[in-house]
């Protein structure tokens, strides 16, 4: 089996192109970068670009490499979906058109190219013991930076606190990287909206701290991080289409569901019962709300009357996307509760 993941030693800062996209062009494919630290007995791992349309983590790694700093311990960067990121126009493809969402492939069964790449990434992460792993992502909607993790351990919260002050405690089994590295302190960090310079800044500052702090963790510390739990996924029903209504526009005459463009203002806010979310065309329910046991709770949380979709009870929505392509291929948003 040919390897998809290329391994390189840390490039010299002076040899790196000034432009992050040119840097990715030189990598050309999935790459593991091995970086020597002051203490080579220990190691930390940062992964990014599991989604090609989420550039902040790769930009942060590129900027950090150009700074020429020596990390406290050895570091491994994995920059995964370089080909999707480079596909024209750059940073617009979550994955290549004929490929899968890489961050749904980490639990096997290693049957296709994406699952095999995921297995290679797990292999390089596990090749040596690591103190911690961070996985950097962007959203497509307007969100503050926040972490996602499978456990609310002191270490996970401390990792998230390097980037933001919110933590989504997830029990969903999706095949994400985090689900495959439960033996290691880890956090997925959503640093903000793709293309927003503020998100790039959050990623770079957090990455710097992650690599320079020594020790990385304060034993038992519980930083001030708001914990949200029990995420349920709000997804379009299979085969249906979605449109986004700009301010003042009504429902789309062709899409099955029209969502309001300013919905992402409500990310991480409590949305009261009776709030309009969008408009449905036709008779059936256009969406489902899947809880952690796989049950559809849509009719418990939403109402649909006269084609108007509203909240039936207060909810906290997160990760709302108003990009119709993402909404159709992944999900519209998640609903969480205060822990
Ligand atoms: Zn992502």
């Amino acid at each position: 089996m040919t390897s998809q993941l290329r391994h390189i030693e840390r490039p010299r800062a002076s040899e790196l192109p000034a432009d992050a996209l040119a840097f990715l062009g030189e990598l050309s494919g999935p790459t593991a970068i091995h970086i020597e630290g002051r203490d080579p007995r220990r190691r930390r791992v940062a992964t990014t670009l599991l989604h090609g349309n989420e550039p902040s983590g790769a930009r942060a790694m590129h900027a950090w490499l150009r700074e020429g700093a020596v990390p406290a311990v050895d570091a491994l960067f994995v920059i995964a979906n370089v080909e999707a990121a480079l596909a024209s126009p750059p940073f617009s493809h979550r994955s290549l058109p004929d490929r899968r969402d890489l961050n749904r492939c980490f639990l096997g069964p290693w049957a296709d190219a994406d699952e095999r790449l995921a297995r290679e990434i797990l292999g390089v992460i596990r090749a040596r013991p690591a103190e911690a792993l961070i996985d950097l992502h962007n959203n497509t909607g307007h969100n503050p930076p926040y972490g996602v993790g499978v456990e609310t351990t002191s270490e996970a919260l401390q990792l998230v606190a390097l980037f933001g002050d919110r933590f989504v405690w997830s029990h969903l089994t999706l095949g994400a990287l985090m689900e495959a590295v439960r033996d290691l302190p880890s956090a997925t960090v959503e640093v903000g909206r793709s293309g927003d310079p503020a998100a790039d800044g959050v990623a770079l500052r957090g990455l710097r701290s992650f690599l320079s702090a020594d020790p990385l963790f304060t034993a038992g510390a519980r930083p001030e991080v708001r914990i949200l739990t029990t995420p349920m996924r709000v997804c379009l029903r299979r085969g249906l289409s979605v449109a986004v209504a700009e301010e003042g526009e009504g429902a789309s005459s062709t899409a099955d569901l029209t969502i309001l463009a300013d919905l992402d203002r409500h990310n991480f806010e409590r949305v009261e019962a009776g709030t309009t979310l969008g408009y449905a065309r036709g008779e059936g329910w256009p969406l489902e709300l899947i809880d952690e046991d796989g049950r559809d709770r849509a009719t418990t949380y939403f109402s649909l009357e006269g084609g108007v979709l509203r909240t039936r009870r207060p909810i906290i929505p997160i990760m709302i996307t108003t990009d119709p392509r993402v909404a159709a291929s992944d999900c519209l948003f998640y609903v969480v509760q205060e822990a």
Side-chain angles (χ1 to χ4, degrees), residues 178-258:
M178 286 304 123
E179 299 161 33
V181 292
R182 288 174 189 265
D183 47 328
L184 199 134
S186 66
T188 301
V189 186
E190 304 276 353
V191 298
R193 190 206 294 255
S194 291
D196 182 347
D200 296 346
V202 167
L204 179 55
R205 285 191 298 277
L207 182 67
R208 275 195 203 118
S209 304
F210 177 70
L211 297 171
S212 64
D214 201 18
L216 180 56
F217 297 121
T218 304
R222 305 283 297 180
E224 286 277 318
V225 172
R226 181 181 169 207
I227 299 173
L228 299 149
T229 188
T230 326
M232 296 181 280
R233 309 175 81 207
V234 182
C235 301
L236 202 61
R237 285 193 179 277
R238 193 176 292 274
L240 298 190
S241 58
V242 63
V244 175
E246 297 303 329
E247 188 86 44
E249 277 180 5
S252 159
S253 57
T254 52
D256 299 295
L257 174 65
T258 302

Side-chain angles (χ1 to χ4, degrees), residues 51 54 94 137-138 190:
H51 297 136
E54 301 176 6
R94 188 174 174 88
H137 290 253
N138 292 104
E190 304 276 353

Side-chain angles (χ1 to χ4, degrees), residues 35-42 69-75 211-214:
I35 300 155
E36 249 178 66
R38 284 192 299 279
D39 181 353
R41 293 165 303 177
R42 295 180 287 148
V70 176
V73 305
D74 279 6
L211 297 171
S212 64
D214 201 18

Side-chain angles (χ1 to χ4, degrees), residues 55-318:
S56 288
R59 286 188 179 134
M61 289 177 185
H62 167 255
W64 183 89
L65 289 167
R66 276 176 49 87
E67 288 171 357
V70 176
V73 305
D74 279 6
L76 168 69
F77 290 171
V78 178
I79 307 181
N81 218 330
V82 173
E83 289 136 306
L86 291 171
S88 182
F91 299 128
S92 67
H93 294 80
R94 188 174 174 88
S95 47
L96 287 175
D98 56 342
R99 297 284 292 263
R100 291 174 55 198
D101 182 332
L102 185 58
N103 209 24
R104 300 286 180 268
C105 295
F106 282 90
L107 297 178
W110 326 124
D112 59 30
D114 295 294
E115 290 183 353
R116 286 192 290 271
L117 174 58
R119 183 170 59 177
E120 276 195 69
I121 291 170
L122 289 174
V124 70
I125 290 170
R126 294 209 176 109
R128 283 176 54 192
E131 292 185 323
L133 183 153
I134 53 169
D135 182 29
L136 302 177
H137 290 253
N138 292 104
N139 296 129
T140 52
H142 188 78
N143 280 287
Y146 63 93
V148 187
V150 291
E151 307 221 48
T152 56
T153 58
S154 163
E155 288 84 3
L157 296 181
Q158 290 183 63
L159 290 173
V160 168
L162 300 173
F163 298 88
D165 59 5
R166 294 169 174 85
F167 182 86
V168 178
W169 183 13
S170 169
H171 309 89
L172 294 173
T173 300
L174 302 171
L177 172 58
M178 286 304 123
E179 299 161 33
V181 292
R182 288 174 189 265
D183 47 328
L184 199 134
S186 66
T188 301
V189 186
E190 304 276 353
V191 298
R193 190 206 294 255
S194 291
D196 182 347
D200 296 346
V202 167
L204 179 55
R205 285 191 298 277
L207 182 67
R208 275 195 203 118
S209 304
F210 177 70
L211 297 171
S212 64
D214 201 18
L216 180 56
F217 297 121
T218 304
R222 305 283 297 180
E224 286 277 318
V225 172
R226 181 181 169 207
I227 299 173
L228 299 149
T229 188
T230 326
M232 296 181 280
R233 309 175 81 207
V234 182
C235 301
L236 202 61
R237 285 193 179 277
R238 193 176 292 274
L240 298 190
S241 58
V242 63
V244 175
E246 297 303 329
E247 188 86 44
E249 277 180 5
S252 159
S253 57
T254 52
D256 299 295
L257 174 65
T258 302
I259 53 173
L260 298 177
D262 64 352
L263 209 57
D264 65 353
R265 278 187 305 123
H266 296 300
N267 271 318
F268 286 94
E269 288 177 11
R270 185 183 151 103
V271 173
E272 297 304 330
T275 304
T276 299
L277 302 174
Y279 307 99
R281 197 172 62 94
E283 297 303 306
W285 272 82
L287 49 75
E288 50 194 20
L289 176 65
I290 304 299
D291 71 11
E292 292 181 310
D293 299 317
R295 286 174 306 199
D296 183 357
R297 310 282 299 277
T299 55
T300 307
Y301 283 82
F302 305 125
S303 69
L304 185 60
E305 282 162 35
V308 183
L309 181 72
R310 295 188 180 89
T311 50
R312 190 185 285 282
R313 52 170 74 184
I315 62 168
I316 302 172
I318 66 167

